[in-house]
Amino acid sequence: MTTTGDGGPAVRRLAEWDADDLLELAAEYDTPLYVIDRDRVTENCARIREAFPDAHVDYAMKAHAGQAVLRTVREAGLGAECASAGEVERAFDAGFAGDRIRYTAVNPPGRDLDRVVERWREHPGLTVTVGAADTVDRLRERGFDGRLCVRANPGVGAGHHEKVQTGADAKFGIPIERVADLAAGWADEFELVGVHAHAGSGISGDDLPAHRELVSRMGDLTREIESRAGSLEFVDVGGGFGVPYREDEPPLDLDAVAAATREAVGDTDATLSIEPGRYVVADAGVLLTRVNTVKRARDATVVGVDAGMTTLLRPAMYDAYHAIRNLSADADGAEGAGDATGSRETTPVTVAGPICESADVLCEQRPLSRPRRGEILAVGNAGAYGYEMSNTYNSRPRPAEVALSGTTVRLARRRETIPDLTELER
């Protein structure tokens, strides 16, 4: 296991979670069940701060906006980067001060702007990031003249899937060649504090050249704006730092990424700012699910479980890989405990959920210790974009979530019920 400073191991593999502890949680809280380890979140925050000691670090709340995580992140010294008015409210609920909250708008609905401007009047340290001149007009109409950050589209994207490569997507930000002119004009009317760009999500070692190019372009943009409109407080180059989802993938060399980022941004008085999300929480979470059906199909053994694409959307949405482990098989024999396959005979299986869609599979033809009905499987790296993307399609209530801290286990979110789903209906 690779370790880095005080931040704990550089990556926590699914095999390193204690099978007996997870089985006890499944027995007490039922399944599907998300488990988030707050201590691991703290370790990941510490490793980021160690690699970027002079940077301003905001946590990208879209990865996991549960209060247990947000309070842990705040206690670790990170700020909050919010993609919606709802996330802004969650950040305040978690105790973040207004000057530690940044609202990054992407085509924001009017009610979002209404709420955020209302919050800004109460907390003038709140920063609003805009990705369109039209958004500035809408803020002006609402009386906003506070801290403004401009999101640029640098024309460079990276990430684990084309659907999350934002840096070159026209939806995100103002074309970088137009930003300096606009920013210079806005500096007289607003408190222009920074510029922002984000390459994408799940950036791996192969993506680093593109990320460095984005950072370099943002450094050039910062210097151009400073020469025309005065100094900026920060230059935000986004987050998207990847984690190894496959068992044989190495962890990201965060120190090397930090060094390359500092070199690429170049000389400027603006503070480097980053906004990691996935890196903070992905390997701090697992999803527990119970086997309900095992059947032999024509070309596969299908293992039906009670978690599906409404519980964990990433495999259906991005064809994402998540490690899967048969905890019950591991607990059967000390020889296999802690091993992804355990001591029982392994067989290739397709793990499928209960949703009426062919895309509702967590893996296909994956070697697992042969599952039996009633056994518990664990899905790894479920802390990022797991619960956040869960939904109630097929009228399936969302799962419960427990938060671990040392030896303390707390129910962080209760399990939804069918009456919860119909409560708002008339």
Side-chain angles (χ1 to χ4, degrees), residues 101-115:
I101 296 175
R102 191 180 304 167
Y103 169 59
T104 303
V106 180
N107 302 327
R111 63 177 61 91
D112 268 38
L113 292 183
D114 291 340
R115 186 59 176 159

Side-chain angles (χ1 to χ4, degrees), residues 77-131:
L78 275 60
E81 187 269 328
C82 309
S84 69
E87 288 188 358
V88 169
E89 290 302 317
R90 283 176 174 264
F92 278 118
D93 288 346
F96 286 91
D99 61 2
R100 298 291 290 169
I101 296 175
R102 191 180 304 167
Y103 169 59
T104 303
V106 180
N107 302 327
R111 63 177 61 91
D112 268 38
L113 292 183
D114 291 340
R115 186 59 176 159
V116 169
V117 171
E118 178 183 340
R119 279 302 206 171
W120 161 74
R121 289 195 174 97
E122 302 166 352
H123 305 272
L126 188 152
T127 300
V128 176
T129 301
V130 296

Side-chain angles (χ1 to χ4, degrees), residues 361-375:
V361 293
L362 299 180
C363 71
E364 294 186 76
Q365 299 294 338
R366 184 85 59 82
L368 284 182
S369 295
R370 185 180 295 276
R372 301 166 183 163
R373 193 191 321 150
E375 293 188 327

